[in-house]
Amino acid sequence: MTSWSVVYSDTGRISLATATAEERTAVVQFEKGLCADPHAAGEIYPDRVGGLYTALLTVGGRPAWTSVLYRVDDAAREVLVVALISGP
């Protein structure tokens, strides 16, 4: 079975570019889990279209208010990172 590919939307790329170095490192680590099994990497996020997931990341070895929103396309075996959300 082939692994999943991870791509970024325009918003996802901008989010990654403006993230801190620690957040970028956490996202790269998170991508490995997405490639292995995107359905197990996060939680389903209730939206109107469906297939949107959210995952809270650990940044710098501690839980953080940094989340990844991503959409799973099972037919294409592709994960689209929609946005990174940091707060508060």
Side-chain angles (χ1 to χ4, degrees), residues 6-62:
V6 177
V7 296
Y8 286 79
S9 69
D10 289 341
T11 305
R13 283 191 294 276
I14 291 168
S15 298
L16 189 61
T18 59
T20 67
E22 282 186 320
E23 288 172 327
R24 283 192 298 276
T25 299
V27 171
V28 169
Q29 288 293 82
F30 180 69
E31 280 185 25
K32 294 175 185 176
L34 287 176
C35 289
D37 185 359
H39 296 287
E43 298 177 3
I44 193 77
Y45 184 83
D47 70 316
R48 295 179 188 198
V49 177
L52 188 65
Y53 288 76
T54 184
L56 187 62
L57 299 183
T58 298
V59 176
R62 64 194 180 288

